[in-house]
Amino acid sequence: MASRSTRKRASDAEPTNDHVASQRTTARGTAKIAVQHMVGLAGGLAIHVYLARALKPEVYGLLAVVTSIVVWWESAGTPLLTQATVRFVAWAGEEWRAVARSAARTTILWGCVLALICAMTARRAAVALGDASLTPYIVLFSLDLLFFPLYRVTMSVLAGRRHFGHQAASGVCYWIAKVGLTCVLVSLGWSIRGAIVGSICASIAGLGVAWYRSGLDLSRGTFAAPRLVAFGLPIAGMGALLRIILSADLWFVKALAANAESVGHYGAARFVYQSLTTVSAAVSGTMLPSLTKAHSSKATSSASELVRQAFRFVLIVGIGSLAVVGCCAQEVVVLVFSSDYVLAAQPALVLTAAALFFSMRLVGAQALIAAGRPGLSWLALAPMLPLNIALNSVLVARYELVGAAFATAITGGIAAALVMAFVWREFKALCSLPTVLRTLISGAAVYGLGLLIPAEGYAAVLKVGGLLGAYLVILGAIGELRSRDLQPLLFWRQPWKGAVPAKEDAETDTDGTDLL
């Protein structure tokens, strides 16, 4: 009896071949999706820089408001089936087509409903924000709802099968089309309409590539669509709620700010938040299918380790970003967006902290979804809406842009704390205290170093790169980053010695690795 207990403890302490292979697949997938998100980050930066300079703050602000309204509809509608598709495709194994077909057919109908409602309510939304001239732009942008949800569901099919290479390639095509078409159409004098049409055409392009790579068709699916919808309803509600929380600051600035340029300044600051959350999107997107498999097969130690490493990665990136932005915000904003947007620097710093909080919340929410507990994410987020509205109404009226940023950061911090409490109860896994302390020490050292190094113009790029490099060096010097942390990301090498790749891992190697 004692020897059997000893063997059990030993097996829990040492990762099995399947556990190592699962970690490797997730890490390789994260690396591939990170490439997609880096392209998206570069593409988003190119678009924002071009539009900010071409349209000037007041018009750029109008585009930011219109985009936030339509993105709210996308965020409210798209999660109805995306996360459910990832989970059930991963769960179905060889029978994935039945799930995928039902999801695709349901999404087409759902997208038409969303587009119609968005167009019909466009004038009311515009009037509520105090600018009826936004109406035709919202109506035009509502056409994106016919394509973008289906594009996201098709990407979810690829994620559920862990074909991360195909998923990344489709995302790269989407961003290439978006950057090219948006810049060309705006340069031809289409202004806001050009940016909107470019986004719609990019959704069509991304959908075409993802659809081809997934092998989907619209045959009648045998998997019950109500099952997908039932699982996705709390996630869709959470998506709608979260997008209101993340957009309320911009909407309050539009309604309460003293001048029209303030909206453009805050829109530029929000780009910092959007850029930093791409990291958590890459981590959580690849974590979900692997964690779903680990949880469903009762591989407790593997699931806990996936959760722990995801939180650790997001924390390291978030603290480093906060330290660098803290000492370079004004220089970078002026360099990227021009001196017209210098007022965006202070809210950008606060929104960097908000990005860290909401990234931690996202990773925790994905962990709960993988465990089949999406309702807990809803429970943690629902109280944040009245809190966020109250904070915005008070802080924006008094402090304008900085007040709006603080409202978002405070809400994100509380939401992250609640979700992480639920994750701890479910997995008994979060970042270790030594990791938190070492990361904070490294961030503080980099922040202090940055204050001692002045930089203007293009020298700010060198300063940012140098500080990020110093951050990694310090993390390595104090023992937080080790060589084994890099091994899973070297996805072009042979599997780790002693690890037997899982079947899914081998399939992933043949289905997309060559694309990147």
Side-chain angles (χ1 to χ4, degrees):
M1 186 74 175
S3 62
R4 191 159 48 239
S5 175
T6 302
R7 285 196 300 271
K8 183 178 185 303
R9 285 196 300 269
S11 65
D12 286 342
E14 298 181 4
T16 64
N17 286 341
D18 285 342
H19 167 68
V20 173
S22 178
Q23 275 196 302
R24 180 177 172 81
T25 300
T26 303
R28 290 189 309 172
T30 299
K32 294 175 184 179
I33 300 303
V35 172
Q36 171 198 334
H37 284 288
M38 283 190 290
V39 172
L41 179 59
L45 177 61
I47 290 174
H48 278 273
V49 170
Y50 178 77
L51 293 177
R53 292 173 178 267
L55 301 179
K56 299 304 179 182
E58 57 274 13
V59 181
Y60 176 73
L62 291 179
L63 176 61
V65 173
V66 171
T67 301
S68 70
I69 293 172
V70 177
V71 167
W72 180 83
W73 284 102
E74 291 176 346
S75 299
T78 302
L80 179 66
L81 294 169
T82 50
Q83 304 286 21
T85 300
V86 173
R87 189 174 193 274
F88 284 107
V89 164
W91 170 79
E94 295 297 324
E95 303 299 322
W96 67 270
R97 289 184 184 274
V99 179
R101 288 167 177 166
S102 295
R105 290 166 65 95
T106 306
T107 300
I108 292 173
L109 177 61
W110 181 230
C112 293
V113 172
L114 289 174
L116 180 62
I117 297 175
C118 179
M120 291 177 63
T121 59
R123 181 169 178 77
R124 289 187 178 182
V127 171
L129 293 173
D131 192 347
S133 67
L134 299 176
T135 303
Y137 300 128
I138 299 173
V139 172
L140 176 61
F141 216 160
S142 67
L143 295 176
D144 195 42
L145 293 164
L146 299 175
F147 308 104
F148 187 77
L150 186 58
Y151 162 63
R152 293 303 307 166
V153 164
T154 309
M155 293 282 274
S156 296
V157 172
L158 293 171
R161 299 183 66 199
R162 299 207 282 183
H163 290 181
F164 301 123
H166 291 333
Q167 183 185 357
S170 302
V172 168
C173 290
Y174 167 83
W175 276 106
I176 291 175
K178 188 165 186 173
V179 173
L181 291 171
T182 299
C183 293
V184 168
L185 293 175
V186 172
S187 69
L188 292 175
W190 287 29
S191 189
I192 295 180
R193 287 185 175 84
I196 293 172
V197 172
S199 293
I200 296 171
C201 292
S203 295
I204 297 173
L207 171 60
V209 176
W211 189 274
Y212 173 74
R213 291 294 182 182
S214 67
L216 261 174
D217 59 65
L218 290 177
S219 303
R220 187 174 184 84
T222 57
F223 190 86
R227 250 183 109 181
L228 292 168
V229 174
F231 184 87
L233 273 175
I235 304 173
M238 185 170 60
L241 190 62
L242 179 61
R243 183 49 58 178
I244 292 177
I245 292 172
L246 294 179
S247 300
D249 53 357
L250 182 63
W251 295 343
F252 270 91
V253 169
K254 177 70 175 75
L256 302 179
N259 57 72
E261 291 186 350
S262 295
V263 184
H265 296 150
Y266 197 73
R270 277 166 57 90
F271 177 70
V272 175
Y273 168 86
Q274 295 163 354
S275 301
L276 294 176
T277 52
T278 59
V279 175
S280 59
V283 173
S284 62
T286 52
M287 179 184 73
L288 180 57
S290 298
L291 188 55
T292 297
K293 281 183 172 292
H295 191 272
S296 62
S297 61
K298 308 299 182 183
T300 305
S301 61
S302 179
S304 297
E305 184 61 21
L306 284 170
V307 171
R308 187 178 296 108
Q309 291 301 325
F311 275 120
R312 173 175 174 263
F313 185 68
V314 170
L315 179 69
I316 289 174
V317 173
I319 294 298
S321 301
L322 187 59
V324 172
V325 173
C327 56
C328 302
Q330 183 168 318
E331 295 96 325
V332 172
V333 166
V334 171
L335 176 63
V336 172
F337 294 103
S338 82
S339 58
D340 291 339
Y341 292 86
V342 68
L343 295 179
Q346 286 187 325
L349 174 58
V350 181
L351 288 175
T352 302
L356 171 59
F357 298 146
F358 277 104
S359 293
M360 300 292 276
R361 192 216 67 83
L362 176 59
V363 169
Q366 294 289 73
L368 294 174
I369 290 170
R373 306 294 298 277
L376 291 178
S377 296
W378 169 268
L379 185 62
L381 192 63
M384 297 303 103
L385 179 59
L387 173 64
N388 184 257
I389 291 175
L391 288 171
N392 273 293
S393 62
V394 173
L395 296 178
V396 174
R398 182 170 296 183
Y399 303 108
E400 290 201 350
L401 306 187
V402 176
F406 267 109
T408 301
I410 293 170
T411 304
I414 298 174
L418 291 175
V419 167
M420 290 168 70
F422 287 130
V423 170
W424 175 259
R425 190 177 71 175
E426 190 71 28
F427 293 96
K428 295 295 185 289
L430 289 174
C431 289
S432 66
L433 182 59
T435 290
V436 174
L437 292 176
R438 286 192 290 260
T439 305
L440 290 174
I441 291 171
S442 301
V446 167
Y447 176 74
L449 180 63
L451 293 179
L452 299 175
I453 304 174
E456 294 183 0
Y458 290 103
V461 177
L462 297 177
K463 178 179 177 180
V464 169
L467 291 176
L468 289 175
Y471 179 64
L472 296 177
V473 169
I474 296 171
L475 283 173
I478 63 178
E480 183 55 40
L481 283 184
R482 297 172 293 275
S483 59
R484 71 182 187 185
D485 290 318
L486 301 178
Q487 287 179 333
L489 303 179
L490 304 179
F491 52 84
W492 56 86
R493 293 188 176 181
Q494 295 297 319
W496 298 341
K497 184 177 180 180
V500 180
K503 181 179 179 183
E504 299 87 349
D505 197 18
E507 290 174 351
T508 305
D509 286 342
T510 59
D511 284 323
T513 304
D514 58 323
L515 293 178
L516 294 177

PDB file of all heavy atoms in Angstrom, residues 339-371:
ATOM      1  N   SER A 339       3.193  65.147 -32.628  1.00  0.00           N
ATOM      2  CA  SER A 339       3.035  66.011 -31.460  1.00  0.00           C
ATOM      3  C   SER A 339       1.591  66.440 -31.239  1.00  0.00           C
ATOM      4  O   SER A 339       1.245  66.928 -30.160  1.00  0.00           O
ATOM      5  CB  SER A 339       3.915  67.255 -31.605  1.00  0.00           C
ATOM      6  OG  SER A 339       3.587  67.957 -32.791  1.00  0.00           O
ATOM      7  N   ASP A 340       0.721  66.247 -32.227  1.00  0.00           N
ATOM      8  CA  ASP A 340      -0.705  66.578 -32.063  1.00  0.00           C
ATOM      9  C   ASP A 340      -1.362  65.706 -30.993  1.00  0.00           C
ATOM     10  O   ASP A 340      -2.437  66.044 -30.493  1.00  0.00           O
ATOM     11  CB  ASP A 340      -1.455  66.389 -33.386  1.00  0.00           C
ATOM     12  CG  ASP A 340      -1.055  67.413 -34.432  1.00  0.00           C
ATOM     13  OD1 ASP A 340      -0.532  68.480 -34.042  1.00  0.00           O
ATOM     14  OD2 ASP A 340      -1.262  67.156 -35.633  1.00  0.00           O
ATOM     15  N   TYR A 341      -0.714  64.564 -30.665  1.00  0.00           N
ATOM     16  CA  TYR A 341      -1.337  63.604 -29.757  1.00  0.00           C
ATOM     17  C   TYR A 341      -0.589  63.504 -28.424  1.00  0.00           C
ATOM     18  O   TYR A 341      -0.719  62.500 -27.714  1.00  0.00           O
ATOM     19  CB  TYR A 341      -1.384  62.218 -30.411  1.00  0.00           C
ATOM     20  CG  TYR A 341      -2.330  62.153 -31.589  1.00  0.00           C
ATOM     21  CD1 TYR A 341      -1.903  62.515 -32.860  1.00  0.00           C
ATOM     22  CD2 TYR A 341      -3.638  61.730 -31.434  1.00  0.00           C
ATOM     23  CE1 TYR A 341      -2.756  62.456 -33.948  1.00  0.00           C
ATOM     24  CE2 TYR A 341      -4.501  61.665 -32.511  1.00  0.00           C
ATOM     25  CZ  TYR A 341      -4.059  62.028 -33.765  1.00  0.00           C
ATOM     26  OH  TYR A 341      -4.913  61.967 -34.841  1.00  0.00           O
ATOM     27  N   VAL A 342       0.168  64.533 -28.068  1.00  0.00           N
ATOM     28  CA  VAL A 342       0.978  64.453 -26.859  1.00  0.00           C
ATOM     29  C   VAL A 342       0.125  64.240 -25.611  1.00  0.00           C
ATOM     30  O   VAL A 342       0.576  63.625 -24.632  1.00  0.00           O
ATOM     31  CB  VAL A 342       1.840  65.731 -26.724  1.00  0.00           C
ATOM     32  CG1 VAL A 342       0.965  66.952 -26.444  1.00  0.00           C
ATOM     33  CG2 VAL A 342       2.893  65.552 -25.651  1.00  0.00           C
ATOM     34  N   LEU A 343      -1.123  64.700 -25.631  1.00  0.00           N
ATOM     35  CA  LEU A 343      -1.998  64.525 -24.463  1.00  0.00           C
ATOM     36  C   LEU A 343      -2.420  63.075 -24.251  1.00  0.00           C
ATOM     37  O   LEU A 343      -3.043  62.750 -23.234  1.00  0.00           O
ATOM     38  CB  LEU A 343      -3.249  65.403 -24.612  1.00  0.00           C
ATOM     39  CG  LEU A 343      -3.008  66.919 -24.597  1.00  0.00           C
ATOM     40  CD1 LEU A 343      -4.323  67.664 -24.770  1.00  0.00           C
ATOM     41  CD2 LEU A 343      -2.325  67.336 -23.299  1.00  0.00           C
ATOM     42  N   ALA A 344      -2.087  62.193 -25.195  1.00  0.00           N
ATOM     43  CA  ALA A 344      -2.428  60.776 -25.043  1.00  0.00           C
ATOM     44  C   ALA A 344      -1.443  60.044 -24.133  1.00  0.00           C
ATOM     45  O   ALA A 344      -1.700  58.912 -23.721  1.00  0.00           O
ATOM     46  CB  ALA A 344      -2.469  60.092 -26.402  1.00  0.00           C
ATOM     47  N   ALA A 345      -0.308  60.660 -23.787  1.00  0.00           N
ATOM     48  CA  ALA A 345       0.752  59.958 -23.059  1.00  0.00           C
ATOM     49  C   ALA A 345       0.311  59.520 -21.666  1.00  0.00           C
ATOM     50  O   ALA A 345       0.522  58.362 -21.273  1.00  0.00           O
ATOM     51  CB  ALA A 345       1.995  60.843 -22.974  1.00  0.00           C
ATOM     52  N   GLN A 346      -0.286  60.426 -20.899  1.00  0.00           N
ATOM     53  CA  GLN A 346      -0.677  60.073 -19.524  1.00  0.00           C
ATOM     54  C   GLN A 346      -1.744  58.985 -19.472  1.00  0.00           C
ATOM     55  O   GLN A 346      -1.578  57.995 -18.745  1.00  0.00           O
ATOM     56  CB  GLN A 346      -1.132  61.321 -18.776  1.00  0.00           C
ATOM     57  CG  GLN A 346       0.018  62.241 -18.375  1.00  0.00           C
ATOM     58  CD  GLN A 346      -0.455  63.380 -17.485  1.00  0.00           C
ATOM     59  OE1 GLN A 346      -1.561  63.896 -17.648  1.00  0.00           O
ATOM     60  NE2 GLN A 346       0.391  63.794 -16.556  1.00  0.00           N
ATOM     61  N   PRO A 347      -2.848  59.105 -20.225  1.00  0.00           N
ATOM     62  CA  PRO A 347      -3.812  57.992 -20.197  1.00  0.00           C
ATOM     63  C   PRO A 347      -3.231  56.697 -20.746  1.00  0.00           C
ATOM     64  O   PRO A 347      -3.640  55.611 -20.318  1.00  0.00           O
ATOM     65  CB  PRO A 347      -4.976  58.499 -21.062  1.00  0.00           C
ATOM     66  CG  PRO A 347      -4.435  59.629 -21.855  1.00  0.00           C
ATOM     67  CD  PRO A 347      -3.361  60.236 -21.013  1.00  0.00           C
ATOM     68  N   ALA A 348      -2.263  56.773 -21.673  1.00  0.00           N
ATOM     69  CA  ALA A 348      -1.648  55.554 -22.204  1.00  0.00           C
ATOM     70  C   ALA A 348      -0.938  54.773 -21.105  1.00  0.00           C
ATOM     71  O   ALA A 348      -0.985  53.532 -21.071  1.00  0.00           O
ATOM     72  CB  ALA A 348      -0.677  55.897 -23.329  1.00  0.00           C
ATOM     73  N   LEU A 349      -0.280  55.470 -20.191  1.00  0.00           N
ATOM     74  CA  LEU A 349       0.411  54.807 -19.086  1.00  0.00           C
ATOM     75  C   LEU A 349      -0.581  54.080 -18.185  1.00  0.00           C
ATOM     76  O   LEU A 349      -0.370  52.917 -17.807  1.00  0.00           O
ATOM     77  CB  LEU A 349       1.206  55.835 -18.284  1.00  0.00           C
ATOM     78  CG  LEU A 349       1.868  55.327 -16.996  1.00  0.00           C
ATOM     79  CD1 LEU A 349       2.803  54.175 -17.294  1.00  0.00           C
ATOM     80  CD2 LEU A 349       2.598  56.460 -16.290  1.00  0.00           C
ATOM     81  N   VAL A 350      -1.667  54.738 -17.846  1.00  0.00           N
ATOM     82  CA  VAL A 350      -2.671  54.111 -16.980  1.00  0.00           C
ATOM     83  C   VAL A 350      -3.317  52.920 -17.689  1.00  0.00           C
ATOM     84  O   VAL A 350      -3.567  51.874 -17.079  1.00  0.00           O
ATOM     85  CB  VAL A 350      -3.737  55.139 -16.566  1.00  0.00           C
ATOM     86  CG1 VAL A 350      -4.776  54.491 -15.654  1.00  0.00           C
ATOM     87  CG2 VAL A 350      -3.095  56.334 -15.866  1.00  0.00           C
ATOM     88  N   LEU A 351      -3.556  53.058 -18.993  1.00  0.00           N
ATOM     89  CA  LEU A 351      -4.167  51.965 -19.746  1.00  0.00           C
ATOM     90  C   LEU A 351      -3.215  50.779 -19.907  1.00  0.00           C
ATOM     91  O   LEU A 351      -3.657  49.659 -20.163  1.00  0.00           O
ATOM     92  CB  LEU A 351      -4.632  52.463 -21.112  1.00  0.00           C
ATOM     93  CG  LEU A 351      -5.870  53.366 -21.099  1.00  0.00           C
ATOM     94  CD1 LEU A 351      -6.164  53.909 -22.487  1.00  0.00           C
ATOM     95  CD2 LEU A 351      -7.086  52.610 -20.555  1.00  0.00           C
ATOM     96  N   THR A 352      -1.914  51.008 -19.762  1.00  0.00           N
ATOM     97  CA  THR A 352      -0.970  49.892 -19.761  1.00  0.00           C
ATOM     98  C   THR A 352      -1.213  48.995 -18.550  1.00  0.00           C
ATOM     99  O   THR A 352      -1.185  47.763 -18.659  1.00  0.00           O
ATOM    100  CB  THR A 352       0.477  50.412 -19.755  1.00  0.00           C
ATOM    101  OG1 THR A 352       0.684  51.243 -20.895  1.00  0.00           O
ATOM    102  CG2 THR A 352       1.469  49.263 -19.786  1.00  0.00           C
ATOM    103  N   ALA A 353      -1.454  49.608 -17.407  1.00  0.00           N
ATOM    104  CA  ALA A 353      -1.808  48.826 -16.214  1.00  0.00           C
ATOM    105  C   ALA A 353      -3.142  48.119 -16.421  1.00  0.00           C
ATOM    106  O   ALA A 353      -3.306  46.953 -16.033  1.00  0.00           O
ATOM    107  CB  ALA A 353      -1.870  49.746 -14.995  1.00  0.00           C
ATOM    108  N   ALA A 354      -4.092  48.810 -17.047  1.00  0.00           N
ATOM    109  CA  ALA A 354      -5.387  48.185 -17.331  1.00  0.00           C
ATOM    110  C   ALA A 354      -5.214  46.969 -18.233  1.00  0.00           C
ATOM    111  O   ALA A 354      -5.894  45.947 -18.060  1.00  0.00           O
ATOM    112  CB  ALA A 354      -6.322  49.200 -17.991  1.00  0.00           C
ATOM    113  N   ALA A 355      -4.287  47.058 -19.203  1.00  0.00           N
ATOM    114  CA  ALA A 355      -4.038  45.938 -20.108  1.00  0.00           C
ATOM    115  C   ALA A 355      -3.531  44.721 -19.338  1.00  0.00           C
ATOM    116  O   ALA A 355      -3.928  43.580 -19.617  1.00  0.00           O
ATOM    117  CB  ALA A 355      -3.027  46.345 -21.181  1.00  0.00           C
ATOM    118  N   LEU A 356      -2.661  44.941 -18.367  1.00  0.00           N
ATOM    119  CA  LEU A 356      -2.173  43.835 -17.539  1.00  0.00           C
ATOM    120  C   LEU A 356      -3.323  43.185 -16.776  1.00  0.00           C
ATOM    121  O   LEU A 356      -3.469  41.954 -16.769  1.00  0.00           O
ATOM    122  CB  LEU A 356      -1.112  44.346 -16.570  1.00  0.00           C
ATOM    123  CG  LEU A 356      -0.659  43.360 -15.481  1.00  0.00           C
ATOM    124  CD1 LEU A 356      -0.084  42.093 -16.091  1.00  0.00           C
ATOM    125  CD2 LEU A 356       0.360  44.019 -14.553  1.00  0.00           C
ATOM    126  N   PHE A 357      -4.176  43.996 -16.164  1.00  0.00           N
ATOM    127  CA  PHE A 357      -5.284  43.453 -15.373  1.00  0.00           C
ATOM    128  C   PHE A 357      -6.263  42.669 -16.248  1.00  0.00           C
ATOM    129  O   PHE A 357      -6.671  41.556 -15.901  1.00  0.00           O
ATOM    130  CB  PHE A 357      -6.023  44.591 -14.657  1.00  0.00           C
ATOM    131  CG  PHE A 357      -5.162  45.353 -13.687  1.00  0.00           C
ATOM    132  CD1 PHE A 357      -5.347  46.723 -13.494  1.00  0.00           C
ATOM    133  CD2 PHE A 357      -4.165  44.724 -12.966  1.00  0.00           C
ATOM    134  CE1 PHE A 357      -4.557  47.433 -12.607  1.00  0.00           C
ATOM    135  CE2 PHE A 357      -3.372  45.427 -12.065  1.00  0.00           C
ATOM    136  CZ  PHE A 357      -3.568  46.783 -11.894  1.00  0.00           C
ATOM    137  N   PHE A 358      -6.640  43.241 -17.375  1.00  0.00           N
ATOM    138  CA  PHE A 358      -7.611  42.567 -18.224  1.00  0.00           C
ATOM    139  C   PHE A 358      -6.997  41.350 -18.916  1.00  0.00           C
ATOM    140  O   PHE A 358      -7.715  40.401 -19.254  1.00  0.00           O
ATOM    141  CB  PHE A 358      -8.192  43.536 -19.252  1.00  0.00           C
ATOM    142  CG  PHE A 358      -9.326  44.360 -18.716  1.00  0.00           C
ATOM    143  CD1 PHE A 358      -9.144  45.690 -18.388  1.00  0.00           C
ATOM    144  CD2 PHE A 358     -10.578  43.797 -18.516  1.00  0.00           C
ATOM    145  CE1 PHE A 358     -10.192  46.449 -17.883  1.00  0.00           C
ATOM    146  CE2 PHE A 358     -11.626  44.539 -18.006  1.00  0.00           C
ATOM    147  CZ  PHE A 358     -11.444  45.878 -17.693  1.00  0.00           C
ATOM    148  N   SER A 359      -5.679  41.352 -19.117  1.00  0.00           N
ATOM    149  CA  SER A 359      -5.024  40.162 -19.668  1.00  0.00           C
ATOM    150  C   SER A 359      -5.066  39.018 -18.664  1.00  0.00           C
ATOM    151  O   SER A 359      -5.327  37.860 -19.035  1.00  0.00           O
ATOM    152  CB  SER A 359      -3.572  40.489 -20.036  1.00  0.00           C
ATOM    153  OG  SER A 359      -3.505  41.405 -21.110  1.00  0.00           O
ATOM    154  N   MET A 360      -4.810  39.314 -17.413  1.00  0.00           N
ATOM    155  CA  MET A 360      -4.913  38.288 -16.378  1.00  0.00           C
ATOM    156  C   MET A 360      -6.348  37.774 -16.279  1.00  0.00           C
ATOM    157  O   MET A 360      -6.584  36.571 -16.112  1.00  0.00           O
ATOM    158  CB  MET A 360      -4.463  38.853 -15.034  1.00  0.00           C
ATOM    159  CG  MET A 360      -3.026  39.363 -14.996  1.00  0.00           C
ATOM    160  SD  MET A 360      -1.794  38.060 -15.152  1.00  0.00           S
ATOM    161  CE  MET A 360      -1.679  37.503 -13.453  1.00  0.00           C
ATOM    162  N   ARG A 361      -7.300  38.689 -16.390  1.00  0.00           N
ATOM    163  CA  ARG A 361      -8.705  38.282 -16.355  1.00  0.00           C
ATOM    164  C   ARG A 361      -9.042  37.362 -17.526  1.00  0.00           C
ATOM    165  O   ARG A 361      -9.764  36.365 -17.374  1.00  0.00           O
ATOM    166  CB  ARG A 361      -9.593  39.521 -16.395  1.00  0.00           C
ATOM    167  CG  ARG A 361     -11.074  39.240 -16.079  1.00  0.00           C
ATOM    168  CD  ARG A 361     -12.002  40.106 -16.893  1.00  0.00           C
ATOM    169  NE  ARG A 361     -11.947  39.771 -18.295  1.00  0.00           N
ATOM    170  CZ  ARG A 361     -12.640  38.778 -18.861  1.00  0.00           C
ATOM    171  NH1 ARG A 361     -13.434  38.016 -18.143  1.00  0.00           N
ATOM    172  NH2 ARG A 361     -12.536  38.537 -20.157  1.00  0.00           N
ATOM    173  N   LEU A 362      -8.506  37.681 -18.729  1.00  0.00           N
ATOM    174  CA  LEU A 362      -8.795  36.869 -19.908  1.00  0.00           C
ATOM    175  C   LEU A 362      -8.234  35.462 -19.767  1.00  0.00           C
ATOM    176  O   LEU A 362      -8.919  34.477 -20.068  1.00  0.00           O
ATOM    177  CB  LEU A 362      -8.209  37.546 -21.154  1.00  0.00           C
ATOM    178  CG  LEU A 362      -8.341  36.759 -22.463  1.00  0.00           C
ATOM    179  CD1 LEU A 362      -9.807  36.484 -22.779  1.00  0.00           C
ATOM    180  CD2 LEU A 362      -7.678  37.512 -23.603  1.00  0.00           C
ATOM    181  N   VAL A 363      -7.004  35.335 -19.309  1.00  0.00           N
ATOM    182  CA  VAL A 363      -6.414  34.013 -19.122  1.00  0.00           C
ATOM    183  C   VAL A 363      -7.223  33.211 -18.104  1.00  0.00           C
ATOM    184  O   VAL A 363      -7.506  32.024 -18.304  1.00  0.00           O
ATOM    185  CB  VAL A 363      -4.946  34.144 -18.677  1.00  0.00           C
ATOM    186  CG1 VAL A 363      -4.400  32.797 -18.213  1.00  0.00           C
ATOM    187  CG2 VAL A 363      -4.096  34.693 -19.814  1.00  0.00           C
ATOM    188  N   GLY A 364      -7.611  33.859 -17.022  1.00  0.00           N
ATOM    189  CA  GLY A 364      -8.427  33.168 -16.032  1.00  0.00           C
ATOM    190  C   GLY A 364      -9.777  32.750 -16.574  1.00  0.00           C
ATOM    191  O   GLY A 364     -10.258  31.645 -16.298  1.00  0.00           O
ATOM    192  N   ALA A 365     -10.399  33.615 -17.367  1.00  0.00           N
ATOM    193  CA  ALA A 365     -11.700  33.288 -17.957  1.00  0.00           C
ATOM    194  C   ALA A 365     -11.599  32.099 -18.902  1.00  0.00           C
ATOM    195  O   ALA A 365     -12.459  31.217 -18.908  1.00  0.00           O
ATOM    196  CB  ALA A 365     -12.255  34.502 -18.690  1.00  0.00           C
ATOM    197  N   GLN A 366     -10.516  32.042 -19.697  1.00  0.00           N
ATOM    198  CA  GLN A 366     -10.328  30.916 -20.607  1.00  0.00           C
ATOM    199  C   GLN A 366     -10.118  29.616 -19.835  1.00  0.00           C
ATOM    200  O   GLN A 366     -10.585  28.551 -20.254  1.00  0.00           O
ATOM    201  CB  GLN A 366      -9.127  31.185 -21.516  1.00  0.00           C
ATOM    202  CG  GLN A 366      -9.321  32.341 -22.487  1.00  0.00           C
ATOM    203  CD  GLN A 366     -10.300  32.008 -23.595  1.00  0.00           C
ATOM    204  OE1 GLN A 366     -11.505  31.931 -23.371  1.00  0.00           O
ATOM    205  NE2 GLN A 366      -9.789  31.808 -24.781  1.00  0.00           N
ATOM    206  N   ALA A 367      -9.416  29.706 -18.727  1.00  0.00           N
ATOM    207  CA  ALA A 367      -9.222  28.515 -17.899  1.00  0.00           C
ATOM    208  C   ALA A 367     -10.560  28.001 -17.369  1.00  0.00           C
ATOM    209  O   ALA A 367     -10.814  26.787 -17.359  1.00  0.00           O
ATOM    210  CB  ALA A 367      -8.273  28.830 -16.750  1.00  0.00           C
ATOM    211  N   LEU A 368     -11.424  28.903 -16.954  1.00  0.00           N
ATOM    212  CA  LEU A 368     -12.737  28.498 -16.449  1.00  0.00           C
ATOM    213  C   LEU A 368     -13.608  27.916 -17.560  1.00  0.00           C
ATOM    214  O   LEU A 368     -14.370  26.978 -17.335  1.00  0.00           O
ATOM    215  CB  LEU A 368     -13.429  29.698 -15.797  1.00  0.00           C
ATOM    216  CG  LEU A 368     -12.767  30.227 -14.523  1.00  0.00           C
ATOM    217  CD1 LEU A 368     -13.453  31.504 -14.048  1.00  0.00           C
ATOM    218  CD2 LEU A 368     -12.788  29.177 -13.422  1.00  0.00           C
ATOM    219  N   ILE A 369     -13.492  28.470 -18.764  1.00  0.00           N
ATOM    220  CA  ILE A 369     -14.241  27.928 -19.904  1.00  0.00           C
ATOM    221  C   ILE A 369     -13.769  26.511 -20.209  1.00  0.00           C
ATOM    222  O   ILE A 369     -14.573  25.603 -20.451  1.00  0.00           O
ATOM    223  CB  ILE A 369     -14.073  28.839 -21.134  1.00  0.00           C
ATOM    224  CG1 ILE A 369     -14.805  30.162 -20.905  1.00  0.00           C
ATOM    225  CG2 ILE A 369     -14.611  28.165 -22.399  1.00  0.00           C
ATOM    226  CD1 ILE A 369     -14.495  31.218 -21.952  1.00  0.00           C
ATOM    227  N   ALA A 370     -12.444  26.301 -20.205  1.00  0.00           N
ATOM    228  CA  ALA A 370     -11.903  24.971 -20.469  1.00  0.00           C
ATOM    229  C   ALA A 370     -12.378  23.964 -19.428  1.00  0.00           C
ATOM    230  O   ALA A 370     -12.556  22.780 -19.726  1.00  0.00           O
ATOM    231  CB  ALA A 370     -10.378  25.026 -20.488  1.00  0.00           C
ATOM    232  N   ALA A 371     -12.595  24.436 -18.212  1.00  0.00           N
ATOM    233  CA  ALA A 371     -13.075  23.565 -17.137  1.00  0.00           C
ATOM    234  C   ALA A 371     -14.584  23.377 -17.186  1.00  0.00           C
ATOM    235  O   ALA A 371     -15.145  22.688 -16.331  1.00  0.00           O
ATOM    236  CB  ALA A 371     -12.670  24.141 -15.780  1.00  0.00           C
TER     237      ALA A 371
END
